[in-house]
Structures are given as C-alpha cells and as structure tokens.
Amino acid sequence: MDAKELHPVVAGLFARGGRTVRVAIEQEYVVAGADGGVVPIGTVRRAAADALAARYISFEPGGQLELSLPPSAEPVRDLRALAADLRSRLAAYGITLHETPVDRRADVPLQLTSPRYVAMQQHLDRIGPAGRRMMRRTASTQVCLDWWPGPDGIEQWRVLNLAGPLLAARFTRDRERLAIWLAVDPARTGFDDRLLRGTDPVASYAAFAAGAEVFVQGGPAEHVSTLFPPVRPRGRYLEIRFLDAQPPEALDEVVGALERLMYDAEHRRNVLRSLETASLRESWGALDRVVAA
C-alpha cells in the first residue's frame, strides 16, 4: 500500500480529542498453572468469569492475560483493586498472574490461531526468531493518555517519542524484552526517527505505514492496525508501548512521569528543548547495545 492510500486512515488516528487529563492502564500478565505450566485461555476465561474485571480481560497470542481498563482519574488504584480481585478468583483454580516482561518457558504455544495471528507469525518467522518470542512470551504495561488538539498535541506526540528511550531505560526490568522488540520487524516497529520527520505527523506516519509489508487481508485500516511503534496514535489518546510489564509498586512512578510529560506544559517544553536534537535511531541503538552487553 502506498502512503496516499493510507493517509485517510492515518488522519483518523491523529484526530485528537479534548483537553482532559485521564489515564488508562493496559496491564499484561504471564499466566501460570499450579505446576508452573501454560494454562489454556479457555480455562482462564472460565476461572475469571465472575471477576470484577471480567469485561476488561483479553488475551495475547501466547495466552498472556491483559487487563485493559477504561480511562480514570485514579488508574493505579483501579488496577490494583481489580487485579487483587482477579488474582483471588484465579488462585482458587491454581492459576497465578506474573508481571514478568519475558516468559522463559520454552514450550509456550500459539494459543490464538485466528487468520490474523497465523499470518503475523508466518510473516515474522521470515525475519527471524524474535517474532515468535514477542507474540508468545513478552508482556508489557501500556499506558494511554488523553491527546490534546492544537500545538499542545503536537508537543505531546513529539515528547513521548523523544523521551521513549530514556523512559524505557528507567523502567527496564528485563533487558531481553526490549532486545526482542528491537529485532521483531524494524519496518513496523519504528524504533528510529521516521515518525518525527517533517512538520506533518500524519504524512510521516502514513509513510511509515507504507514501508511495512502487508501480511493481512483487508484494506488500509487492517494493515495500519499491524504496526507496533513505541508510541501508537489512537485518535483521542496516545498509547505508550515501550515499557516492560511493571510491578504494582512501580506504577505510581510510571504514571506520574508520563502525566507530567503530557499534561504539564512547562515540564513538557523543557524536556522537548533538551531532546529536540536527539536522534531516536541512535538513542534506541545505544539502549540496544546496553541491553546486549
């Protein structure tokens, strides 16, 4: 697909919303049975059916459980309360949840076998082994923040991208997860400067999308949904994707750092001034070298 064909879909991703200051957390967990082994997704669904968070549960291809909570003024408090209830209910079935960035069990199967995930695995296999590890054995904490209109929203987009390597380093818990993501498919993960080129972020993102190989059936919207940049535009909000899965005790600091970057204009602009000339390609590359050391 070319950038012109993708541009209308991408423009929708950059629509932006109002000037609210909400935060939503999407927390992924590695799931283990009483014997430490993999638990079928259907078993986890049944065990969690009566949990307070049941409607917010989804799963990643290897069976990782994700709690995708709605925006809130107290996102960390909400996550802790719902996760505690969920853990209690799963424990009755011998199932535990772990905020583990990398699952080191060697026998994790592809549990979600929809055409999309089968095609994704086949595509990533052609690049190298990191794709299977990413899909089946990694977990993250994703934070979603309200995205403002006007020049402030452009600043928010730039500062989150530019600060990404620093925040990823600050909150790293397992160096292998970042190494896996950096190796998955550089054409669609964008750990470089492509997303910040030029003065039109929509055009830059459309060009980024056009550079990624199409592996799914469907039109531009389906293709764009297979891109995994460190900061993903989602219309009214921005989704932070570069963090390792975080333990509960770290979430206040994580969310606080991101809120200041997004919602504190003076702080945001000071950070931008300090990072505006930074090369993301070099910054992510330097972090990769540290990870590999």
Side-chain angles (χ1 to χ4, degrees), residues 71-131:
S72 168
E74 296 286 346
V76 177
R77 179 200 64 188
D78 294 348
L79 176 62
R80 286 173 177 159
L82 292 175
D85 173 75
L86 177 61
R87 288 181 190 277
S88 175
R89 295 178 187 276
L90 294 180
Y93 293 82
I95 300 170
T96 55
L97 302 178
H98 303 278
E99 297 98 352
T100 303
V102 179
D103 181 353
R104 288 189 164 76
R105 294 175 296 187
D107 57 347
V108 179
L110 183 69
Q111 291 210 49
L112 297 182
T113 56
S114 66
R116 174 188 174 92
Y117 286 123
V118 171
M120 180 184 296
Q121 179 171 273
Q122 291 173 344
H123 165 73
L124 296 177
D125 280 348
R126 292 194 292 272
I127 298 171

Side-chain angles (χ1 to χ4, degrees), residues 1 17 39 47 83 91 120 138 188 193 251:
M1 296 182 186
V39 184
M120 180 184 296
T138 62
R188 66 187 349 100
D193 298 290
L251 288 173

